[in-house]
Structure formats: structure tokens, C-alpha cells
Amino acid sequence: MSWLLDPFQSDFTQRAGLICIMVGILAPVVGTWISLRKLAYLGDAMSHSVLGGVALGFAWFGTNAVLPGALVAGVFMALVIHFLSQNRRIATDSVIAVVGSGMFALGALLLSKMDTTVSISHFLFGQLLTVNTVDLWITLVLTVSAVFFVWFRFDDLKFATFDRDHATQIGIRVQRLDAAMLVLLAVCVVVCLNTVGIALTVSLLITPTATARLFFNNVGTITRAAIAIGLTEVLAGFIVAYHFDLSPGPAITLGATSVFIVMYAIRFATSDRTYVHHTHDHDHSH
Amino acid sequence: MTNNDFVLQAIDLAVSYGDTNALSSSTFAVGAGELVAVVGPNGAGKSTLFKALAGFVDHEGDVVVHGEHCHHLERKAIAYIPQQSDLDLRFPLSVSEVVMAGRRRFHGRRMRVKHEDTARVATCLSQVDLAGMESRSLSTLSGGQVQRVLLARALAQEADVLLLDEALSGVDTRHTEELIALFADLCATGTSILVSTHDLGLVRTRFTRCLAVNGRVRGDGAPSTELEGSKLEALFSHSSWGEAS
């Protein structure tokens, strides 16, 4: 037991632990919808794009402005994607690639020209042990807001993701929901910034949900299972990193990937191999 | 029939996607309780016609429901069932969740599912011969069963007009007959149904009216006249390139 609690003895590791709990809840909640909407690539690009905001915030206002800078960059990226995607000639993933890579390049250039001891790898792979109280409060507010939004709009998200046309017809404002999902993703990326960093954020968004999806076939159950998996992976990764003197971000990510591979193997080994092709003409009810 | 007797009227309805005319000016009307087949080759604009009627795409011309001109998002009297290829059928939803989507406008301001909504979902599932399958996952159903779930969702909406896009594709003979019988029952209660299909044999034997579509509505009448001889040849040989997408 002390092996589990040792990492949480000091103030800064307690703050890190609290961040881990919030990330472990928020990332799977948002990640479930990112995954179901097939937006994993957007998650990756969005996480890289915030480097521009991180660098500008850091350059102008210091370390306390890193998260607000990232949030502004994430929301900016979301709005630009939403606006540019209205043009039918350009595929949305092309827009994501153009805007995401441009903002990442801006951040990398700015950081390389700054006279500071902070390395770009701090942002790329997380800086969990340097979390301060301001970061903690920002993360708390963002997490609570995002989770409440998903909670209250759960059915609308479900219907709009499954059948956009029908959702429109039954009164769901689908485009507003799309925009809200982009902002939620930006919020989640910002919250994950300290924990696993820009390069590995997509792992926390997608891997717990993908693991849950192996075993469950209902959105609500998948979300609850993904939260349980995500929380366990983030906390376990942090504890292991503490004891073995590893970087927490990569340790958490590698742990999550390993869990997915093991669960995939278990699912494959125990699967009854039944699979219904939707193009079949026969019915199974009789 | 006077204009007020029609449940649905399309007046000079036309749709363009960029520079391409998907549907040119088309006018027709459907009365209460009518069962209408919509036929035409692939790419003729049948789905576009339905999406324009349902208000999903921008269009020119008017759609009039119960004598009132409709704004795009105010067509609660119309329920549209998409082609299965437009949906992610591995989406993790149960049968009852899909059908419950049709009840959303009855949930009230607090968006609470009421007892009557649950009862209505069960009734609609029984109407399409899927009673007791509420908790089954959509991804475990066959194509024909999915089609019937989507029909149950449209019934749950309590709409006056059902637009069924390729609704009989992937449905076996027995269930096709049952669906046609169900359509007849619904029409008898006043519901109007438009079904797009490629099964001309079925249209000839089980429908009394069809709309022939290729770039625009080119024919409107009994299948015995619209789907015979030169009219049929003209419908399917007419190139819609540059006119429909």
C-alpha cells in the first residue's frame, strides 16, 4: 500500500496526482466522442497546434500563461477548422493538416528563439511535476465544465453522431454541437498538456475508449468503462514513473498502449467470431 | 382534390450542388394516405428529392405541408429514413435508443424520457415485427432488421409523411411483403408514404402511383403507364449527366 501512496507525499506530487485524476476522467469522456466521430487525426493535430499558443503565452507572460495560451490556440484552431471546412472543395483532414502543422511550426520557431531554460520537450512530453496551483484551478474549471456539457447533451451527441440528417430533423442544432465538440477537444488537449504533453495527448483521448470498445457495445457503457480504464492508466503510469524514475507522460502512454494490446489479445482469444455483415439479405430474428 | 387536401406539395423544387443541378424544377403533390413509389436510375436525384423535401439541403421552390410553406427546420410532419450506406451501422447504440430518437420532440423542455415514450417505442417495434429486441445492439442486426428499426424510428416520430430512401434494399421477400402490408396499414390511418426503389416489379404489382425521376420528376401516374414501353425506356436511357449528381 505504501508503494502506491509514496508518490503522493509532497505538495507538488499531490498536485500532479489531482491533475492525473482530472485528466483520467476528462480525456475518455471527450475521447469517446472523438473516437465515435472518427476524429482521432483531429485530436492529434489539435494537440500539436496548441504549441503556438503555449510559446506565445510563455514568451509574453511567463509560465502561468502557458495553459491560457494553449486554450486560446486550441479554440482558435477549432474555429478556423470549423470555418474552413465549410468549403466543400477542401477535405476537412486537409484543413486540419494545414492549420495544425502551421501552428505547431510557429510554436517550435518561437520556443527555439527564446532565451529560456525551458525546453520544447517539456511541452512535447508533459511536465507533470511542475504543475502549480493556477494550473490546478484552470484544469478543474475546464474539466468540470466539459464533463457537465457532455453529461447534459449526451443524447443529442449520440443522435447527431449516428445520423446527422435525422438529428437535424428532430431539432438538434447539429452544427452548434460540432463546434462545441471542437471546443471540448481544445479544452481536453489543454488539460492533457501537463500530463502527457502535446505529442502523446491523442493516446489519452483514444486508447482508453478503444480498449473499452473491445468489450462493450453501448455508448454509455463505453464511456463509463473508458473513464475507469483511463483513470487507472493515468494513476498507475504516474506511480510507476515515480518509482522507476521515468518521465510520467511516456510512462502513462506506454502503459495505456500495453493495456490495449493485452485486452485486444484477450478479446481476440475469447471472441466467438460472430459477425453480422449488413449486406446480408437474411434476417436473424426468425 | 383542392390544394388544402394535399398533405405534401413540392412546387418548382430544384437543388444544385455548386455548378451541378442535382434536381431540376419538379412539381407534384401527395394526398393523405397515399403510397407512392419513386423510381429512376442511380444518380437520378431520388435521394436529393427526399432530402429537399425533408429540409436537409438548400433548395429553390417551395415545400408545402398541410397547406403551410415550410422553413427548412420546421418539417416535423415529415420523417426521412436514409439509405443504410449513409449510416455507421457499427455505431454502439441499442435498438431502443435508435427508435427513442424519434421521440425527442415529445420529451418536453427538460428532455426527460416519459413512460409513454417507452411504451410508444415498444409499440413501434412491434409494428415492424421487432418486439422484444429493444436491448439488442444495432451492430448485431442484419440489413433487413436495421431497415425495420429505422422504420420504427420514423413511426415513433408520429409524422404524417414518411420518406423511405431505398427502404426495401436488403430486405428479404417475406419481410418485404410484411413491410408493404405495414405501409398499407399506415396509409389506411392517413399517413402518406413515398418509397424510392429499384424494384420495378414490386412497383408494378403493389403500388398504385409512381413518380419517375431522372434529373427532375419526368412522370407521375399509375405504374402501368409510367413504367411501360417507351416511357420506361426514356426514363432509364435519358442521360442525367450534368443535370443530376
Side-chain angles (χ1 to χ4, degrees), chain A residues 33 36-38 88-89 153-159 161-166 168-173 213 216-220 222 275-286, chain B residues 17 51 54 56 73 75 78-80 82 84 87-94 97-98 100-102 104 129 133 137-146 148 153 157 170 172 174-175:
Chain A
W33 295 104
L36 289 172
R37 288 177 164 234
K38 300 179 174 63
R88 293 165 65 105
R89 284 175 184 270
R153 302 303 299 273
F154 198 81
D155 279 346
D156 286 356
L157 281 167
K158 206 163 64 176
F159 300 146
T161 307
F162 174 61
D163 186 347
R164 288 177 65 85
D165 282 346
H166 186 258
T168 304
Q169 197 175 38
I170 59 177
I172 297 170
R173 301 190 174 196
R213 188 79 176 85
F216 302 106
N217 213 3
N218 178 274
V219 193
I222 289 169
Y275 179 74
V276 177
H277 293 276
H278 287 284
T279 51
H280 282 185
D281 284 339
H282 64 271
D283 271 23
H284 299 283
S285 58
H286 298 281
Chain B
Y17 297 127
K51 288 183 179 183
F56 299 154
L73 300 178
R75 296 179 189 176
I78 300 175
Y80 168 76
Q84 287 188 33
L87 301 173
D88 173 9
L89 297 178
R90 294 189 189 182
F91 196 85
L93 284 178
S94 68
E97 284 176 301
V98 175
M100 190 60 83
R104 186 183 182 274
D129 198 20
M133 295 184 74
S137 173
L138 194 68
S139 61
T140 65
L141 304 183
S142 68
Q145 287 173 318
V146 169
R148 285 184 282 145
R153 185 182 70 178
Q157 272 180 255
D172 61 23
R174 185 192 141 199
H175 283 103

Side-chain angles (χ1 to χ4, degrees), chain B:
Chain B
M1 266 189 196
T2 67
N3 280 353
N4 287 336
D5 294 328
F6 293 121
V7 176
L8 173 70
Q9 288 174 274
I11 303 166
D12 294 328
L13 197 64
V15 179
S16 297
Y17 297 127
D19 298 334
T20 308
N21 291 327
L23 185 74
S24 299
S25 180
S26 296
T27 297
F28 62 92
V30 178
E34 274 200 276
L35 176 61
V36 181
V38 177
V39 298
N42 287 330
K46 302 187 293 293
S47 295
T48 299
L49 171 65
F50 280 0
K51 288 183 179 183
L53 290 171
F56 299 154
V57 293
D58 289 332
H59 60 75
E60 292 173 28
D62 283 324
V63 173
V64 181
V65 179
H66 290 304
E68 291 192 12
H69 291 255
C70 290
H71 180 267
H72 278 192
L73 300 178
E74 293 171 353
R75 296 179 189 176
K76 291 171 185 168
I78 300 175
Y80 168 76
I81 298 182
Q83 294 184 33
Q84 287 188 33
S85 57
D86 291 346
L87 301 173
D88 173 9
L89 297 178
R90 294 189 189 182
F91 196 85
L93 284 178
S94 68
V95 166
S96 64
E97 284 176 301
V98 175
V99 181
M100 190 60 83
R103 300 296 300 165
R104 186 183 182 274
R105 74 181 168 104
F106 302 98
H107 289 172
R109 296 186 74 179
R110 299 181 72 184
M111 287 294 149
R112 289 270 169 86
V113 175
K114 298 187 227 62
H115 175 69
E116 49 263 42
D117 294 321
T118 312
R120 178 72 187 164
V121 165
T123 306
C124 293
L125 283 171
S126 340
Q127 279 183 280
V128 297
D129 198 20
L130 290 176
M133 295 184 74
E134 285 86 346
S135 58
R136 279 279 294 273
S137 173
L138 194 68
S139 61
T140 65
L141 304 183
S142 68
Q145 287 173 318
V146 169
Q147 201 63 64
R148 285 184 282 145
V149 171
L150 296 175
L151 182 58
R153 185 182 70 178
L155 297 177
Q157 272 180 255
E158 299 183 20
D160 299 323
V161 180
L162 305 187
L163 306 175
L164 304 153
D165 201 353
E166 307 275 357
L168 301 172
S169 299
V171 183
D172 61 23
T173 310
R174 185 192 141 199
H175 283 103
T176 297
E177 289 298 323
E178 287 179 4
L179 282 177
I180 294 285
L182 174 60
F183 295 164
D185 289 345
L186 290 169
C187 288
T189 63
T191 304
S192 306
I193 303 178
L194 283 79
V195 187
S196 73
T197 178
H198 291 285
D199 188 343
L200 300 185
L202 188 76
V203 176
R204 286 189 185 97
T205 55
R206 306 304 297 271
F207 288 76
T208 55
R209 180 183 171 193
C210 76
L211 294 176
V213 177
N214 195 349
R216 61 183 168 82
V217 174
R218 293 178 179 275
D220 180 0
S224 56
T225 54
E226 298 301 327
L227 299 180
E228 296 306 328
S230 57
K231 275 195 171 183
L232 181 66
E233 195 176 331
L235 177 66
F236 280 86
S237 63
H238 178 85
S239 170
S240 61
W241 289 104
E243 203 171 20
S245 61

Side-chain angles (χ1 to χ4, degrees), chain A residues 6-255:
Chain A
D6 275 350
F8 304 104
Q9 299 303 320
S10 64
D11 282 352
F12 67 91
T13 53
Q14 282 169 5
R15 284 197 295 270
L18 287 172
I19 289 274
C20 282
I21 290 170
M22 289 187 270
V23 165
I25 293 169
L26 179 64
V29 166
V30 176
T32 297
W33 295 104
I34 297 303
S35 180
L36 289 172
R37 288 177 164 234
K38 300 179 174 63
L39 296 174
Y41 177 59
L42 173 61
D44 198 32
M46 179 82 82
S47 58
H48 282 79
S49 75
V50 300
L51 191 64
V54 166
L56 286 172
F58 186 64
W60 288 337
F61 303 107
T63 49
N64 278 346
V66 164
L67 283 193
L71 184 61
V72 169
V75 172
F76 175 74
M77 166 91 172
L79 294 175
V80 169
I81 289 172
H82 188 67
F83 178 73
L84 293 182
S85 300
Q86 308 300 316
N87 187 329
R88 293 165 65 105
R89 284 175 184 270
I90 306 170
T92 304
D93 60 349
S94 300
V95 172
I96 292 166
V98 170
V99 180
S101 56
M103 290 179 67
F104 180 74
L106 173 70
L109 269 180
L110 286 173
L111 282 172
S112 70
K113 290 292 177 192
M114 271 183 220
D115 184 18
T116 172
T117 53
V118 176
S119 138
I120 191 171
S121 66
H122 271 100
F123 303 113
L124 287 179
F125 302 111
Q127 44 184 352
L128 198 47
L129 296 177
T130 63
V131 168
N132 59 33
T133 312
V134 175
D135 293 338
L136 204 58
W137 279 108
I138 291 174
T139 304
L140 180 66
V141 170
L142 293 178
T143 303
V144 169
S145 311
V147 169
F148 267 96
F149 177 83
V150 173
W151 178 277
F152 285 114
R153 302 303 299 273
F154 198 81
D155 279 346
D156 286 356
L157 281 167
K158 206 163 64 176
F159 300 146
T161 307
F162 174 61
D163 186 347
R164 288 177 65 85
D165 282 346
H166 186 258
T168 304
Q169 197 175 38
I170 59 177
I172 297 170
R173 301 190 174 196
V174 174
Q175 286 206 328
R176 276 194 197 177
L177 215 49
D178 289 347
M181 275 310 300
L182 288 176
V183 173
L184 267 187
L185 177 59
V187 164
C188 190
V189 163
V190 171
V191 168
C192 290
L193 187 65
N194 281 322
T195 324
V196 289
I198 286 165
L200 303 174
T201 290
V202 73
S203 152
L204 273 189
L205 276 170
I206 304 300
T207 315
T209 303
T211 308
R213 188 79 176 85
L214 290 170
F215 296 93
F216 302 106
N217 213 3
N218 178 274
V219 193
T221 317
I222 289 169
T223 307
R224 287 189 290 274
I227 291 170
I229 294 166
L231 258 178
T232 309
E233 287 174 346
V234 172
L235 287 171
F238 178 69
I239 291 167
V240 168
Y242 174 87
H243 285 295
F244 293 95
D245 195 20
L246 303 170
S247 177
I252 291 167
T253 302
L254 192 58

